Amino acid sequence: MRMYDIIMKKREGEELTTEEINFFVEEYTKGVIPDYQVSALMMAIYFQRMNKRETVDLTKAMIESGDIIDLSAIEGVKVDKHSTGGVGDTTTLILGPIVAAAGVPVAKMSGRGLGHTGGTIDKLDAFKGFSVDMAIDKFIENVNRTKIAIGGQTANLAPADKKLYGLRDVTATVDNISLIAGSIMSKKIASGADAIVLDVKTGSGAFMKDEDSAFKLAQEMVDIGTNVGRNTIAVITDMDQPLGYAVGNALEVKEAIDTLKGKGPDDLTELCLSLGSYMLILGGRAGNPKEARKILEDIILSGKGIKKLKELVEAQGGDSTYVDNPSLFDRVAIVEPISTSEAGFVKSIKADDIGRAALVLGAGRETKESEIDLGVGIVLHKKIGDFVKPGESIATIYANDPSKQKIAAEMVIGAYNITSEETKPRHLIKGVVTKNGIERFG
Ligand code: URA
Ligand code: CA
């Protein structure tokens, strides 16, 4: 088999065979096929696309390129959740504990943040002592004992995807639906989940800027999951503004704590109840969304959710007294409310720009080696549809460096579009895709 022929075949719009897909994935992972040939193939795929069969084959080949984590020693259906990436998205810190408290095992492999989107592990670092470094046996033991553990992605999961994603990133071939779907699903499946709930974001802060593409991506991922025997549900949700109010590590952890205590922002609470309901359904704990929602609401009300977060933090070496005493979290030197001269309704907030402002403050990583400043970030006071009075503050910046504070303040002001016409609040949940089809809401 020759890579040249595979590139040519795809360039002409033909379907690649399973053997051809396995060949290029294996040989590329080994370093036998060079980047330039795979770049050409990715561009051919970008223009000519892949059908469902090819997409599933690519996903399987990427899964098999590395380790597949065996979580069979964990009792129950392991349901994983994955978000396609957003700003101020603290859902894992809330969903994990409430779903675990409902009895569904949460064996979560999380990542660190890069660029304008945050990562769950960085947020958990806000608890002094918390660590995700543990052997797989300990990870499994923790899940069996407390129903929840959060690990780092240490295993050699889908190395083919890692290489391909890096290549796509610099050759303008990221945004092809088959390639994105295969990339995400290969990692989820290799990390051992029995069932998967996907939060597919759409809007200014997301990969998929428009709703139709988000539904298509969701459908593709659900089809892959179904094909490889993993029950998969995708929820399509709004990312046209940051989720909740807080953006930044310790600030988001505090927001998650508030939400677990029943005092969180409406959108964040709603998203967690919605995604969590599907996790309970896939985990066999509830028969329908209504029943599942009731279980989760009761868990929050009774305090079982917040108790579970404390158990998680303690089990992984962190100081859980932070939960009841949030003043222990990293604090900053500068807390500065910002306002604009404009008055009117918030029409839009560029979520990615808010994420970048948090990055400037030091809340995220410019490169893999960057150190994170856990305390810094932004707390929004106004969301889409809210009215801003003249001189009223729209957000507060938490900073440790006055010059960075200034830059971030300007970025936040620039991210807001305030107009005189009344704007409706955004619809958070756009729809759901299951193996039975698409359901659109509102
Ligand atoms: N996230 C991934 O993991 N892969 C993609 O291709 C795009 C987003
Ligand atoms: Ca938030």
Side-chain angles (χ1 to χ4, degrees):
M1 215 174 276
R2 290 175 36 184
M3 187 60 181
Y4 180 93
D5 301 326
I6 296 175
I7 298 168
M8 173 83 108
K9 201 170 167 189
K10 188 41 89 182
R11 193 194 78 186
E12 296 307 307
E14 288 171 46
E15 180 177 342
L16 300 180
T17 66
T18 306
E19 291 72 31
E20 285 162 341
I21 290 171
N22 287 342
F23 170 79
F24 97 78
V25 173
E26 277 167 30
E27 298 301 304
Y28 181 51
T29 310
K30 280 195 253 167
V32 176
I33 301 175
D35 280 348
Y36 52 81
Q37 282 190 308
V38 179
S39 305
L41 180 63
M42 290 298 117
M43 192 56 86
I45 291 173
Y46 178 87
F47 281 115
Q48 296 288 7
R49 304 176 198 282
M50 291 197 299
N51 65 22
K52 293 229 183 283
R53 203 224 85 238
E54 291 173 291
T55 306
V56 170
D57 281 344
L58 174 67
T59 311
K60 285 185 180 160
M62 293 197 296
I63 295 169
E64 273 153 30
S65 70
D67 300 340
I68 299 169
I69 298 182
D70 180 6
L71 296 179
S72 57
I74 296 173
E75 302 134 32
V77 182
K78 279 79 64 190
V79 187
D80 204 349
K81 183 229 74 162
H82 178 82
S83 146
T84 58
V87 176
D89 187 351
T90 327
T91 52
T92 299
L93 293 183
I94 301 155
L95 265 180
I98 59 176
V99 169
V104 174
V106 178
K108 186 100 187 77
M109 304 284 168
S110 282
R112 295 199 179 268
L114 190 63
H116 76 277
T117 57
T120 300
I121 299 182
D122 295 326
K123 293 171 200 177
L124 283 164
D125 275 345
F127 289 100
K128 191 165 166 262
F130 190 91
S131 167
V132 294
D133 295 328
M134 63 190 129
I136 188 76
D137 298 356
K138 168 90 166 117
F139 179 81
I140 290 173
E141 189 193 308
N142 279 5
V143 182
N144 277 334
R145 195 181 62 244
T146 65
K147 294 285 172 210
I148 184 166
I150 296 184
Q153 283 158 356
T154 45
N156 185 30
L157 295 182
D161 170 65
K162 200 166 182 188
K163 243 183 131 172
L164 280 171
Y165 192 25
L167 190 69
R168 286 163 54 215
D169 207 20
V170 293
T171 55
T173 50
V174 168
D175 51 347
N176 167 278
I177 284 177
S178 294
L179 295 177
I180 298 176
S183 167
I184 293 173
M185 292 301 283
S186 65
K187 284 172 282 201
K188 287 288 112 179
I189 295 162
S191 55
D194 299 318
I196 302 159
V197 173
L198 299 161
D199 177 6
V200 180
K201 309 278 194 193
T202 172
S204 66
F207 253 109
M208 295 292 142
K209 307 286 176 207
D210 69 280
E211 229 174 284
D212 284 341
S213 317
F215 273 95
K216 277 201 195 109
L217 175 63
Q219 181 77 63
E220 198 70 47
M221 291 195 283
V222 169
D223 288 345
I224 294 172
T226 308
N227 245 295
V228 299
R230 303 297 200 284
N231 214 342
T232 305
I233 291 180
V235 186
I236 291 78
T237 72
D238 185 63
M239 191 24 83
D240 229 13
Q241 61 182 340
L243 198 58
Y245 294 104
V247 182
N249 299 285
L251 295 169
E252 287 185 41
V253 174
K254 282 190 236 175
E255 189 166 62
I257 291 171
D258 288 342
T259 308
L260 283 169
K261 289 181 176 169
K263 296 176 294 194
D266 291 345
D267 60 347
L268 184 58
T269 304
E270 174 57 31
L271 183 63
C272 291
L273 290 173
S274 186
L275 294 171
S277 297
Y278 291 109
M279 290 175 81
L280 295 202
I281 291 170
L282 292 185
R285 179 68 180 78
N288 59 64
K290 203 171 158 209
E291 183 193 342
R293 207 184 166 89
K294 177 82 174 62
I295 294 172
L296 295 174
E297 283 170 344
D298 287 347
I299 284 171
I300 293 177
L301 274 177
S302 66
K304 283 185 191 147
I306 195 74
K307 189 161 162 263
K308 190 54 84 180
L309 175 69
K310 285 188 205 169
E311 271 178 55
L312 165 70
V313 171
E314 276 164 31
Q316 299 193 211
D319 184 349
S320 69
T321 59
Y322 281 43
V323 173
D324 291 318
N325 189 3
S327 68
L328 291 171
F329 284 111
D330 272 29
R331 291 213 264 174
V332 295
I334 308 165
V335 177
E336 185 105 347
I338 51 174
S339 52
T340 71
S341 49
E342 291 169 289
F345 295 92
V346 178
K347 184 160 193 244
S348 63
I349 306 172
K350 289 193 199 109
D352 43 358
D353 284 352
I354 301 283
R356 278 185 208 107
L359 188 63
V360 165
L361 291 167
R365 285 189 185 79
E366 302 270 3
T367 69
K368 276 186 207 150
E369 284 73 36
S370 319
E371 281 271 336
I372 283 192
D373 191 343
L374 292 167
V376 301
I378 301 148
V379 174
L380 308 179
H381 304 312
K382 300 288 179 182
K383 300 274 296 251
I384 295 174
D386 288 346
F387 187 75
V388 184
K389 287 184 264 185
E392 195 183 4
S393 117
I394 53 171
T396 297
I397 310 271
Y398 292 72
N400 278 320
D401 177 327
S403 61
K404 289 180 180 171
Q405 190 276 335
K406 250 192 145 134
I407 301 170
E410 270 167 34
M411 290 171 82
V412 171
I413 290 170
Y416 271 83
N417 179 3
I418 297 171
T419 65
S420 56
E421 31 174 322
E422 199 162 333
T423 306
K424 282 209 193 90
R426 303 282 309 174
H427 211 83
L428 182 68
I429 314 281
K430 313 279 189 190
V432 177
V433 179
T434 68
K435 61 176 190 270
N436 301 322
I438 295 180
E439 196 184 342
R440 285 184 190 252
F441 304 148

